[in-house]
Structure formats: C-alpha cells, structure tokens
Amino acid sequence: MLTNIWETILFITGELGYWGVLMTLIIEGMGLPFPGDAVLAFYGFLASDYRFTLLAVILVATVGSWLGSIVAFYLGKRFGLPLLYRYGKFLLISERSIEVTSRFSGKYGVLVLLFGRMLPGIRTLSSYIAGIGNLSWPVFLIYSFAGLWLFCTFWISVGFFLGENWNTFVLIIKEYLVRILIGVILLGGSLLLWRKTSFMTRGR
C-alpha cells in the first residue's frame, strides 16, 4: 500500500509541481492514511535540489493541509463522533486513537492543534475531534493554520537540510520528536492551568 502511495505522490508531484504538493497535502490534512511527515521531508529534498523554492513549498503545503483540515473539521461538526467510530476502520483509524485524541483535546484544548500536529494518530484526528468538540470556526482556523505551518516547516526543513539523507533520518527524528512534543504539550497544559489558578486566586 505504501509503495502505491509513493508512486502516486511521485507521479502527481512530477506532473503537477506545486499543484501536486497542494493536492497531496489536502489528502494529508483530511486525515486519510498518508505518510505526511515523510512526504514533506521529500518535498524539502526536492527544494534542496532546486525543483521547488523552500518558502513557496512550505506555504503551498501549509495551505493544502489547512484546506484538508477544514474539511475534516466540518465533517466532525456535522456528523459527530459516530462518523469516526463507523468509518474510521476504513481509514486505518483505531478506536484507541479516537479515545486518546479525544482525551488530549479535552485536556489541552487548542494546544493539540498547535503541537499535536506533530504526533502521528493525533494529527490524523485532531481536526475531526475539534469539530466534534464544537470549537468555534475562527479559533480553529487560526490555531489549525499555525499548527500546520509548524508541522510543514519542520519536516520540509528536515528534508531541505539533510538532502539525499532525508529518508534515513525521518524515522530517527520521529522517535525522539514524539517524546519531546508530549513533554511540550504537558508543560504547556500545566502552565495554562497554573495561570488560570493564579488568576482565580488573585481575583478573590
């Protein structure tokens, strides 16, 4: 399956250039089964080989992911959690992933849209869960774009600076990145809780 995905990506990118980047990242943003981080690193490698401009490919990839996330957010708002439980298995989404992402979103809110984009599984579902949780459109659009900008910039930069070695380092980076980001999310959530508690204490 992954071989077929890569062949499709290579064909679309080779034929359509930036339009191909936009199309593949819309798929990624919708949460469909897709190796988003590896694809972005590959696009970064193409930029290092002067087939793309670095800033342009980051912007196009971010907009594509953002458009896909908007579709996912709307579906979550419109159809709710039963949509994921009923059709998630066809997209290789497990019930455990749905439950974990729901807990993260309930606990850390919009931080999941910022930093959770870097975490496999959570990234796939975060837009759906935000819609299911009835997050407002303006808040979603802003935080989703910011999170996807970070996500696309990071992985495209990895491919750009590592060049031909991008594929070797993707798995290594992912292994440690997950641990680091979980720590960042926990720290961010703790700081927000501390600020909220301090404000309530001063208000008494």
Side-chain angles (χ1 to χ4, degrees):
M1 181 178 178
L2 287 177
T3 302
N4 293 334
I5 290 176
W6 272 111
E7 289 176 352
T8 302
I9 292 166
L10 291 174
F11 174 77
I12 292 175
T13 306
E15 292 292 316
L16 300 177
Y18 286 109
W19 284 108
V21 174
L22 184 72
M23 290 171 59
T24 54
L25 268 297
I26 287 175
I27 294 171
E28 153 68 23
M30 290 175 63
L32 300 178
F34 197 78
D37 35 32
V39 169
L40 288 169
F42 172 66
Y43 289 155
F45 161 66
L46 294 181
S48 73
D49 199 37
Y50 301 103
R51 281 180 269 184
F52 289 128
T53 301
L54 179 61
L55 292 179
V57 76
I58 288 174
L59 178 60
V60 172
T62 301
V63 171
S65 294
W66 191 55
L67 292 174
S69 76
I70 290 171
V71 174
F73 181 73
Y74 168 77
L75 291 174
K77 266 188 175 297
R78 177 69 176 81
F79 299 103
L81 205 54
L83 174 73
L84 291 178
Y85 280 116
R86 185 171 183 179
Y87 297 106
K89 58 186 176 183
F90 299 109
L91 303 177
L92 306 181
I93 297 172
S94 67
E95 291 188 5
R96 175 169 172 75
S97 294
I98 296 171
E99 292 166 359
V100 169
T101 306
S102 297
R103 286 201 300 271
F104 263 72
S105 296
K107 192 170 184 179
Y108 302 111
V110 293
L111 286 178
V112 174
L113 292 175
L114 280 176
F115 303 111
R117 298 293 192 183
M118 306 294 287
L119 301 173
I122 290 178
R123 178 175 74 247
T124 303
L125 292 169
S126 56
S127 297
Y128 288 100
I129 297 300
I132 292 167
N134 206 30
L135 189 68
S136 70
W137 273 103
V139 172
F140 172 78
L141 292 174
I142 293 170
Y143 280 90
S144 183
F145 188 89
L148 290 168
W149 175 267
L150 292 173
F151 170 63
C152 293
T153 298
F154 177 83
W155 284 111
I156 289 174
S157 297
V158 166
F160 182 83
F161 290 110
L162 294 179
E164 293 183 356
N165 299 312
W166 69 269
N167 197 28
T168 305
F169 288 90
V170 165
L171 292 177
I172 298 174
I173 293 172
K174 284 173 67 175
E175 179 181 352
Y176 292 100
L177 186 64
V178 169
R179 300 173 187 174
I180 292 170
L181 284 171
I182 289 176
V184 170
I185 292 174
L186 292 174
L187 178 61
S190 299
L191 288 173
L192 286 176
L193 181 62
W194 175 77
R195 288 184 62 183
K196 184 177 180 180
T197 304
S198 299
F199 178 78
M200 292 176 64
T201 302
R202 288 196 302 268
R204 292 178 179 176

